[in-house]
Amino acid sequence: MLSDRKMYSILNKHPNRNGFKLLPVVIIGNGPSGICLSYLLSGYVPYFKRDSLHPHSILQRKLEEAPDISILDQDLEYLSEGLEGRSHSPMALLFDTLLRPDTDFGGTAESVLTWWHEANRAIPHLVLGKNPPGGAWHSIEGSMITLSRGEWMGLPDLPFKDWLRQKRRGLRNDRATAEDIAQYYQHYVMKKGLQKNFRCGTVVTSVRKVTRESISSHSQKDLQEGSDSLWNFTEENMEVFKVDGFFKNAKGDKEPFSIYAQNVVLATGTYDSPTWLRVKGENLSYVHHQLSALEEAVKDGSISIMSDPVLIVGAGLTAADAILFAHYCNIPVIHAFRRRVNDPGLIFNQLPKMMYPEYHKVHQMMKEQTAACSGPYECYVSLPEHHVLSFGKDKKCILQDKNGYQKVYKISMALVLTGSNPNLSFLPNNGIDLAMDCDQPVNPKRNPIDVDPFTYECTQEKGLYALGPLAGDNFVRFVQGGALAVASSLLKKANKNPP
């Protein structure tokens, strides 16, 4: 990260007298989506590797039709047509199968892509994020094991397994720890020379469309070094994006910044805003919405084997991680969730047992250790088809079952782990106007941002793009296809496609 003095000097640059300097692209979010897009915008161009053989014969034939034209410059809709897989996004499926041709069938075929660095095709851009490169992966407890296979966490042209091998480490059940993933993403940015594009420790507070007239009366501050590389305002009535925010200096003071961009890419993920139950007492100090609260309480001794039970609400993988952590520390747990244990929609019923033994252990506990039927697991009680009615100041929680019966439990702490939503407070109307259903908040699973499937540009706001979970792509292996789509679209806009 830049020093305070250098960041401050960059923030206080002014435009020249001939016009305002304009950045082609600002990427908000420095997780896997933002990193992958930065790589593609830095002049790294994928081509079909000659003599490669893709197991999908129709795709192989299409790739052989134009071997000298980069994938970015080809008709992506044509290439992706007919592909099937674990994503509904044609771009996600296309890039994934080019990088990992037969991975869904347990194969280890190499990528059919080769990468060339063509510096003349780079598009100046900035990547803004609160954390170091890797985004929310730095906020996850380091020992947690990823849901996805380790090789699916890798980014283009630097396989995760190769990086892990250099550290003389292996994968557990083909999966990696969150700490490994976070370190890999930081290493990727350095290895690929992308760090000049990253401004970590920054928080975006506003993204708005503005006109040249509204800008001309204000001085511009920007985060970009080497302003000669920026594009100039040329159109008199051109609307552009104004991105406002701040970073914290060494003293903890907030230093504001404003930058102007032709295009903005939303790649913030969904980790920022945990879902609340919206029940009475949920704002009390013993009610938490992140697993880290339990880890800290165990670490400082405020929660122990002698404590009242910890209430864990939710039936997803984060709730399961909390149960596993508590079980390991012999912390008593009451586990409440709305679904039936055999509900096919429950994530545990969708995971292969051999690959995810610890999650199936939790599922087994949920089935065998209910309040009505004692089982072999100490310090754990499962309450399926229950929901929380209220939390009391005396640390008593009222739960209700499917029949309307209520029961009071005395607890030491509550963890509400029912998912998270994106924090889009920096957008007008919290970004709701951009969603598929513009009457409901943006939700990665139920109501993502409405984007063009082959460019990922927002249908409701030209020049604004959305990547990753915001666009409905919820796994690292699939967010990269969106980055390919955005890069292809931006190259066309920039006229940086070869003749």
Side-chain angles (χ1 to χ4, degrees), residues 15-22 208-220 231-242 260-261:
N16 63 37
R17 295 178 181 178
N18 297 324
F20 287 91
K21 293 294 184 179
L22 181 64
R208 298 288 186 277
K209 270 281 183 75
V210 295
T211 62
R212 176 174 180 169
E213 288 76 12
S214 66
I215 300 172
S216 60
S217 60
H218 298 84
S219 64
Q220 178 187 358
W231 296 352
N232 284 308
F233 251 126
T234 54
E235 297 182 33
E236 193 69 26
N237 298 315
M238 186 178 182
E239 278 194 324
V240 297
F241 293 97
K242 183 185 181 189
Y260 298 96

mmCIF file of all heavy atoms in Angstrom, residues 15-22 208-220 231-242 260-261:
data_model
loop_
_atom_site.group_PDB
_atom_site.id
_atom_site.type_symbol
_atom_site.label_atom_id
_atom_site.label_comp_id
_atom_site.label_asym_id
_atom_site.label_seq_id
_atom_site.Cartn_x
_atom_site.Cartn_y
_atom_site.Cartn_z
ATOM 1 N N PRO A 15 -6.184 18.726 -12.603
ATOM 2 C CA PRO A 15 -6.166 18.551 -14.050
ATOM 3 C C PRO A 15 -5.408 19.687 -14.720
ATOM 4 O O PRO A 15 -5.255 20.762 -14.154
ATOM 5 C CB PRO A 15 -7.647 18.577 -14.423
ATOM 6 C CG PRO A 15 -8.274 19.417 -13.355
ATOM 7 C CD PRO A 15 -7.507 19.113 -12.100
ATOM 8 N N ASN A 16 -4.959 19.422 -15.948
ATOM 9 C CA ASN A 16 -4.304 20.511 -16.659
ATOM 10 C C ASN A 16 -5.351 21.477 -17.197
ATOM 11 O O ASN A 16 -6.550 21.239 -17.132
ATOM 12 C CB ASN A 16 -3.412 19.957 -17.783
ATOM 13 C CG ASN A 16 -4.213 19.217 -18.834
ATOM 14 O OD1 ASN A 16 -5.317 19.609 -19.175
ATOM 15 N ND2 ASN A 16 -3.639 18.139 -19.357
ATOM 16 N N ARG A 17 -4.906 22.585 -17.757
ATOM 17 C CA ARG A 17 -5.826 23.650 -18.142
ATOM 18 C C ARG A 17 -6.638 23.314 -19.377
ATOM 19 O O ARG A 17 -7.627 23.978 -19.666
ATOM 20 C CB ARG A 17 -5.037 24.944 -18.371
ATOM 21 C CG ARG A 17 -4.378 25.472 -17.100
ATOM 22 C CD ARG A 17 -3.575 26.713 -17.378
ATOM 23 N NE ARG A 17 -2.922 27.199 -16.178
ATOM 24 C CZ ARG A 17 -2.118 28.262 -16.153
ATOM 25 N NH1 ARG A 17 -1.874 28.931 -17.273
ATOM 26 N NH2 ARG A 17 -1.554 28.647 -15.021
ATOM 27 N N ASN A 18 -6.204 22.313 -20.119
ATOM 28 C CA ASN A 18 -6.898 21.984 -21.358
ATOM 29 C C ASN A 18 -8.123 21.115 -21.150
ATOM 30 O O ASN A 18 -8.869 20.850 -22.077
ATOM 31 C CB ASN A 18 -5.936 21.264 -22.303
ATOM 32 C CG ASN A 18 -4.776 22.152 -22.698
ATOM 33 O OD1 ASN A 18 -4.952 23.360 -22.873
ATOM 34 N ND2 ASN A 18 -3.592 21.564 -22.830
ATOM 35 N N GLY A 19 -8.331 20.642 -19.972
ATOM 36 C CA GLY A 19 -9.489 19.794 -19.734
ATOM 37 C C GLY A 19 -9.247 18.858 -18.577
ATOM 38 O O GLY A 19 -8.130 18.673 -18.139
ATOM 39 N N PHE A 20 -10.315 18.260 -18.073
ATOM 40 C CA PHE A 20 -10.191 17.366 -16.939
ATOM 41 C C PHE A 20 -9.658 16.011 -17.375
ATOM 42 O O PHE A 20 -10.012 15.510 -18.431
ATOM 43 C CB PHE A 20 -11.559 17.194 -16.267
ATOM 44 C CG PHE A 20 -11.991 18.384 -15.499
ATOM 45 C CD1 PHE A 20 -12.743 19.385 -16.090
ATOM 46 C CD2 PHE A 20 -11.634 18.522 -14.169
ATOM 47 C CE1 PHE A 20 -13.124 20.489 -15.372
ATOM 48 C CE2 PHE A 20 -12.020 19.628 -13.442
ATOM 49 C CZ PHE A 20 -12.764 20.619 -14.051
ATOM 50 N N LYS A 21 -8.797 15.460 -16.558
ATOM 51 C CA LYS A 21 -8.303 14.112 -16.817
ATOM 52 C C LYS A 21 -9.363 13.101 -16.406
ATOM 53 O O LYS A 21 -10.017 13.256 -15.383
ATOM 54 C CB LYS A 21 -7.012 13.875 -16.044
ATOM 55 C CG LYS A 21 -5.847 14.734 -16.529
ATOM 56 C CD LYS A 21 -5.427 14.362 -17.932
ATOM 57 C CE LYS A 21 -4.202 15.154 -18.357
ATOM 58 N NZ LYS A 21 -3.770 14.789 -19.709
ATOM 59 N N LEU A 22 -9.498 12.097 -17.191
ATOM 60 C CA LEU A 22 -10.569 11.128 -16.988
ATOM 61 C C LEU A 22 -9.991 9.726 -17.029
ATOM 62 O O LEU A 22 -9.295 9.364 -17.976
ATOM 63 C CB LEU A 22 -11.615 11.300 -18.091
ATOM 64 C CG LEU A 22 -12.845 10.402 -18.052
ATOM 65 C CD1 LEU A 22 -13.676 10.669 -16.807
ATOM 66 C CD2 LEU A 22 -13.687 10.639 -19.296
ATOM 67 N N ARG A 208 -21.719 8.495 -8.566
ATOM 68 C CA ARG A 208 -22.809 9.246 -9.181
ATOM 69 C C ARG A 208 -22.445 9.642 -10.602
ATOM 70 O O ARG A 208 -21.295 9.896 -10.917
ATOM 71 C CB ARG A 208 -23.115 10.523 -8.382
ATOM 72 C CG ARG A 208 -23.569 10.301 -6.952
ATOM 73 C CD ARG A 208 -24.978 9.730 -6.878
ATOM 74 N NE ARG A 208 -25.491 9.640 -5.515
ATOM 75 C CZ ARG A 208 -25.250 8.658 -4.674
ATOM 76 N NH1 ARG A 208 -24.461 7.668 -5.057
ATOM 77 N NH2 ARG A 208 -25.785 8.631 -3.469
ATOM 78 N N LYS A 209 -23.441 9.725 -11.483
ATOM 79 C CA LYS A 209 -23.255 10.268 -12.815
ATOM 80 C C LYS A 209 -23.242 11.799 -12.717
ATOM 81 O O LYS A 209 -24.088 12.385 -12.040
ATOM 82 C CB LYS A 209 -24.401 9.838 -13.728
ATOM 83 C CG LYS A 209 -24.181 8.525 -14.487
ATOM 84 C CD LYS A 209 -23.296 8.738 -15.696
ATOM 85 C CE LYS A 209 -23.110 7.471 -16.529
ATOM 86 N NZ LYS A 209 -24.284 7.141 -17.328
ATOM 87 N N VAL A 210 -22.276 12.434 -13.378
ATOM 88 C CA VAL A 210 -22.189 13.897 -13.386
ATOM 89 C C VAL A 210 -21.898 14.365 -14.809
ATOM 90 O O VAL A 210 -21.463 13.593 -15.662
ATOM 91 C CB VAL A 210 -21.075 14.407 -12.432
ATOM 92 C CG1 VAL A 210 -21.396 14.067 -10.982
ATOM 93 C CG2 VAL A 210 -19.719 13.826 -12.819
ATOM 94 N N THR A 211 -22.142 15.665 -15.064
ATOM 95 C CA THR A 211 -21.845 16.258 -16.362
ATOM 96 C C THR A 211 -20.589 17.104 -16.265
ATOM 97 O O THR A 211 -20.138 17.460 -15.172
ATOM 98 C CB THR A 211 -23.002 17.147 -16.837
ATOM 99 O OG1 THR A 211 -23.172 18.209 -15.897
ATOM 100 C CG2 THR A 211 -24.297 16.337 -16.940
ATOM 101 N N ARG A 212 -20.048 17.468 -17.415
ATOM 102 C CA ARG A 212 -18.836 18.289 -17.432
ATOM 103 C C ARG A 212 -19.097 19.633 -16.748
ATOM 104 O O ARG A 212 -18.228 20.139 -16.027
ATOM 105 C CB ARG A 212 -18.387 18.523 -18.872
ATOM 106 C CG ARG A 212 -17.186 19.445 -18.937
ATOM 107 C CD ARG A 212 -16.652 19.572 -20.331
ATOM 108 N NE ARG A 212 -15.505 20.468 -20.342
ATOM 109 C CZ ARG A 212 -14.694 20.639 -21.356
ATOM 110 N NH1 ARG A 212 -14.899 19.951 -22.458
ATOM 111 N NH2 ARG A 212 -13.676 21.461 -21.303
ATOM 112 N N GLU A 213 -20.282 20.178 -16.946
ATOM 113 C CA GLU A 213 -20.582 21.473 -16.351
ATOM 114 C C GLU A 213 -20.509 21.417 -14.826
ATOM 115 O O GLU A 213 -20.030 22.335 -14.178
ATOM 116 C CB GLU A 213 -21.982 21.940 -16.775
ATOM 117 C CG GLU A 213 -22.079 22.378 -18.223
ATOM 118 C CD GLU A 213 -22.096 21.198 -19.183
ATOM 119 O OE1 GLU A 213 -22.270 20.049 -18.717
ATOM 120 O OE2 GLU A 213 -21.917 21.428 -20.389
ATOM 121 N N SER A 214 -20.978 20.301 -14.244
ATOM 122 C CA SER A 214 -20.968 20.197 -12.784
ATOM 123 C C SER A 214 -19.559 19.994 -12.248
ATOM 124 O O SER A 214 -19.267 20.325 -11.101
ATOM 125 C CB SER A 214 -21.864 19.039 -12.331
ATOM 126 O OG SER A 214 -21.328 17.807 -12.759
ATOM 127 N N ILE A 215 -18.652 19.460 -13.095
ATOM 128 C CA ILE A 215 -17.280 19.232 -12.654
ATOM 129 C C ILE A 215 -16.453 20.505 -12.741
ATOM 130 O O ILE A 215 -15.585 20.753 -11.905
ATOM 131 C CB ILE A 215 -16.608 18.143 -13.516
ATOM 132 C CG1 ILE A 215 -17.370 16.826 -13.401
ATOM 133 C CG2 ILE A 215 -15.153 17.940 -13.114
ATOM 134 C CD1 ILE A 215 -16.884 15.771 -14.354
ATOM 135 N N SER A 216 -16.740 21.335 -13.732
ATOM 136 C CA SER A 216 -15.843 22.445 -14.041
ATOM 137 C C SER A 216 -15.679 23.427 -12.899
ATOM 138 O O SER A 216 -14.672 24.129 -12.822
ATOM 139 C CB SER A 216 -16.352 23.187 -15.277
ATOM 140 O OG SER A 216 -17.656 23.699 -15.036
ATOM 141 N N SER A 217 -16.634 23.467 -11.988
ATOM 142 C CA SER A 217 -16.543 24.412 -10.878
ATOM 143 C C SER A 217 -15.818 23.818 -9.677
ATOM 144 O O SER A 217 -15.695 24.461 -8.648
ATOM 145 C CB SER A 217 -17.946 24.857 -10.455
ATOM 146 O OG SER A 217 -18.707 23.739 -10.043
ATOM 147 N N HIS A 218 -15.369 22.585 -9.786
ATOM 148 C CA HIS A 218 -14.669 21.935 -8.674
ATOM 149 C C HIS A 218 -13.282 21.489 -9.104
ATOM 150 O O HIS A 218 -13.064 21.071 -10.236
ATOM 151 C CB HIS A 218 -15.454 20.706 -8.184
ATOM 152 C CG HIS A 218 -16.809 21.042 -7.661
ATOM 153 N ND1 HIS A 218 -17.905 21.179 -8.469
ATOM 154 C CD2 HIS A 218 -17.232 21.290 -6.386
ATOM 155 C CE1 HIS A 218 -18.972 21.481 -7.740
ATOM 156 N NE2 HIS A 218 -18.586 21.557 -6.474
ATOM 157 N N SER A 219 -12.347 21.557 -8.197
ATOM 158 C CA SER A 219 -11.023 20.995 -8.472
ATOM 159 C C SER A 219 -11.101 19.492 -8.357
ATOM 160 O O SER A 219 -11.888 18.959 -7.580
ATOM 161 C CB SER A 219 -9.991 21.544 -7.483
ATOM 162 O OG SER A 219 -10.310 21.142 -6.172
ATOM 163 N N GLN A 220 -10.300 18.800 -9.127
ATOM 164 C CA GLN A 220 -10.313 17.338 -9.121
ATOM 165 C C GLN A 220 -9.152 16.790 -8.323
ATOM 166 O O GLN A 220 -8.037 17.248 -8.432
ATOM 167 C CB GLN A 220 -10.235 16.804 -10.552
ATOM 168 C CG GLN A 220 -10.196 15.282 -10.603
ATOM 169 C CD GLN A 220 -9.961 14.766 -11.993
ATOM 170 O OE1 GLN A 220 -9.855 15.519 -12.935
ATOM 171 N NE2 GLN A 220 -9.862 13.465 -12.112
ATOM 172 N N TRP A 231 -7.016 9.433 -20.151
ATOM 173 C CA TRP A 231 -7.715 9.966 -21.306
ATOM 174 C C TRP A 231 -8.323 11.307 -20.946
ATOM 175 O O TRP A 231 -8.699 11.555 -19.802
ATOM 176 C CB TRP A 231 -8.823 9.001 -21.736
ATOM 177 C CG TRP A 231 -8.319 7.684 -22.200
ATOM 178 C CD1 TRP A 231 -7.028 7.324 -22.412
ATOM 179 C CD2 TRP A 231 -9.102 6.541 -22.510
ATOM 180 N NE1 TRP A 231 -6.939 6.031 -22.833
ATOM 181 C CE2 TRP A 231 -8.206 5.516 -22.904
ATOM 182 C CE3 TRP A 231 -10.456 6.270 -22.511
ATOM 183 C CZ2 TRP A 231 -8.634 4.261 -23.278
ATOM 184 C CZ3 TRP A 231 -10.888 5.012 -22.881
ATOM 185 C CH2 TRP A 231 -9.988 4.022 -23.267
ATOM 186 N N ASN A 232 -8.479 12.207 -21.931
ATOM 187 C CA ASN A 232 -9.035 13.541 -21.687
ATOM 188 C C ASN A 232 -10.516 13.589 -21.990
ATOM 189 O O ASN A 232 -11.033 12.834 -22.806
ATOM 190 C CB ASN A 232 -8.333 14.569 -22.570
ATOM 191 C CG ASN A 232 -6.954 14.909 -22.061
ATOM 192 O OD1 ASN A 232 -6.797 15.242 -20.892
ATOM 193 N ND2 ASN A 232 -5.956 14.812 -22.927
ATOM 194 N N PHE A 233 -11.192 14.512 -21.321
ATOM 195 C CA PHE A 233 -12.554 14.855 -21.693
ATOM 196 C C PHE A 233 -12.546 15.406 -23.112
ATOM 197 O O PHE A 233 -11.795 16.318 -23.426
ATOM 198 C CB PHE A 233 -13.074 15.957 -20.774
ATOM 199 C CG PHE A 233 -14.110 15.491 -19.801
ATOM 200 C CD1 PHE A 233 -13.939 15.715 -18.448
ATOM 201 C CD2 PHE A 233 -15.253 14.861 -20.237
ATOM 202 C CE1 PHE A 233 -14.883 15.301 -17.544
ATOM 203 C CE2 PHE A 233 -16.211 14.444 -19.337
ATOM 204 C CZ PHE A 233 -16.027 14.664 -17.981
ATOM 205 N N THR A 234 -13.375 14.892 -23.972
ATOM 206 C CA THR A 234 -13.441 15.419 -25.325
ATOM 207 C C THR A 234 -14.857 15.843 -25.695
ATOM 208 O O THR A 234 -15.045 16.759 -26.474
ATOM 209 C CB THR A 234 -12.964 14.371 -26.344
ATOM 210 O OG1 THR A 234 -13.713 13.161 -26.164
ATOM 211 C CG2 THR A 234 -11.486 14.053 -26.143
ATOM 212 N N GLU A 235 -15.878 15.188 -25.148
ATOM 213 C CA GLU A 235 -17.254 15.501 -25.506
ATOM 214 C C GLU A 235 -17.818 16.541 -24.548
ATOM 215 O O GLU A 235 -17.751 16.404 -23.338
ATOM 216 C CB GLU A 235 -18.114 14.232 -25.480
ATOM 217 C CG GLU A 235 -17.665 13.196 -26.500
ATOM 218 C CD GLU A 235 -18.560 11.972 -26.485
ATOM 219 O OE1 GLU A 235 -19.770 12.140 -26.221
ATOM 220 O OE2 GLU A 235 -18.058 10.865 -26.706
ATOM 221 N N GLU A 236 -18.413 17.581 -25.125
ATOM 222 C CA GLU A 236 -18.868 18.727 -24.341
ATOM 223 C C GLU A 236 -19.890 18.345 -23.278
ATOM 224 O O GLU A 236 -19.811 18.786 -22.145
ATOM 225 C CB GLU A 236 -19.476 19.771 -25.304
ATOM 226 C CG GLU A 236 -19.704 21.133 -24.666
ATOM 227 C CD GLU A 236 -18.395 21.847 -24.349
ATOM 228 O OE1 GLU A 236 -17.384 21.574 -25.023
ATOM 229 O OE2 GLU A 236 -18.389 22.659 -23.411
ATOM 230 N N ASN A 237 -20.869 17.514 -23.630
ATOM 231 C CA ASN A 237 -21.961 17.199 -22.702
ATOM 232 C C ASN A 237 -21.864 15.780 -22.158
ATOM 233 O O ASN A 237 -22.855 15.175 -21.786
ATOM 234 C CB ASN A 237 -23.307 17.398 -23.399
ATOM 235 C CG ASN A 237 -23.505 18.839 -23.822
ATOM 236 O OD1 ASN A 237 -23.233 19.754 -23.050
ATOM 237 N ND2 ASN A 237 -23.965 19.038 -25.052
ATOM 238 N N MET A 238 -20.667 15.269 -22.131
ATOM 239 C CA MET A 238 -20.473 13.881 -21.737
ATOM 240 C C MET A 238 -20.778 13.664 -20.259
ATOM 241 O O MET A 238 -20.320 14.421 -19.404
ATOM 242 C CB MET A 238 -19.029 13.497 -22.031
ATOM 243 C CG MET A 238 -18.703 12.046 -21.807
ATOM 244 S SD MET A 238 -16.980 11.767 -22.248
ATOM 245 C CE MET A 238 -16.878 10.020 -21.944
ATOM 246 N N GLU A 239 -21.546 12.629 -19.969
ATOM 247 C CA GLU A 239 -21.764 12.239 -18.580
ATOM 248 C C GLU A 239 -20.726 11.199 -18.183
ATOM 249 O O GLU A 239 -20.438 10.288 -18.949
ATOM 250 C CB GLU A 239 -23.170 11.637 -18.407
ATOM 251 C CG GLU A 239 -24.263 12.651 -18.245
ATOM 252 C CD GLU A 239 -25.542 12.002 -17.734
ATOM 253 O OE1 GLU A 239 -25.812 10.857 -18.126
ATOM 254 O OE2 GLU A 239 -26.270 12.626 -16.963
ATOM 255 N N VAL A 240 -20.174 11.364 -17.004
ATOM 256 C CA VAL A 240 -19.195 10.418 -16.497
ATOM 257 C C VAL A 240 -19.536 10.092 -15.051
ATOM 258 O O VAL A 240 -20.461 10.665 -14.469
ATOM 259 C CB VAL A 240 -17.760 10.982 -16.582
ATOM 260 C CG1 VAL A 240 -17.374 11.234 -18.022
ATOM 261 C CG2 VAL A 240 -17.621 12.234 -15.739
ATOM 262 N N PHE A 241 -18.782 9.164 -14.476
ATOM 263 C CA PHE A 241 -18.997 8.780 -13.088
ATOM 264 C C PHE A 241 -18.029 9.538 -12.176
ATOM 265 O O PHE A 241 -16.838 9.634 -12.464
ATOM 266 C CB PHE A 241 -18.784 7.275 -12.901
ATOM 267 C CG PHE A 241 -19.806 6.432 -13.606
ATOM 268 C CD1 PHE A 241 -19.534 5.896 -14.856
ATOM 269 C CD2 PHE A 241 -21.039 6.176 -13.027
ATOM 270 C CE1 PHE A 241 -20.476 5.114 -15.509
ATOM 271 C CE2 PHE A 241 -21.983 5.397 -13.673
ATOM 272 C CZ PHE A 241 -21.695 4.871 -14.915
ATOM 273 N N LYS A 242 -18.558 10.056 -11.086
ATOM 274 C CA LYS A 242 -17.735 10.633 -10.038
ATOM 275 C C LYS A 242 -17.705 9.649 -8.873
ATOM 276 O O LYS A 242 -18.757 9.254 -8.358
ATOM 277 C CB LYS A 242 -18.289 11.972 -9.563
ATOM 278 C CG LYS A 242 -17.406 12.644 -8.512
ATOM 279 C CD LYS A 242 -18.056 13.915 -7.962
ATOM 280 C CE LYS A 242 -17.138 14.558 -6.929
ATOM 281 N NZ LYS A 242 -17.814 15.668 -6.207
ATOM 282 N N TYR A 260 -12.786 10.730 -11.407
ATOM 283 C CA TYR A 260 -13.777 10.676 -12.474
ATOM 284 C C TYR A 260 -13.426 9.549 -13.429
ATOM 285 O O TYR A 260 -12.253 9.349 -13.765
ATOM 286 C CB TYR A 260 -13.837 12.009 -13.216
ATOM 287 C CG TYR A 260 -14.266 13.149 -12.315
ATOM 288 C CD1 TYR A 260 -13.309 13.977 -11.713
ATOM 289 C CD2 TYR A 260 -15.606 13.371 -12.035
ATOM 290 C CE1 TYR A 260 -13.693 15.003 -10.872
ATOM 291 C CE2 TYR A 260 -16.003 14.395 -11.196
ATOM 292 C CZ TYR A 260 -15.037 15.207 -10.613
ATOM 293 O OH TYR A 260 -15.429 16.222 -9.764
ATOM 294 N N ALA A 261 -14.437 8.824 -13.865
ATOM 295 C CA ALA A 261 -14.192 7.648 -14.708
ATOM 296 C C ALA A 261 -15.273 7.513 -15.765
ATOM 297 O O ALA A 261 -16.440 7.837 -15.533
ATOM 298 C CB ALA A 261 -14.148 6.385 -13.855
#
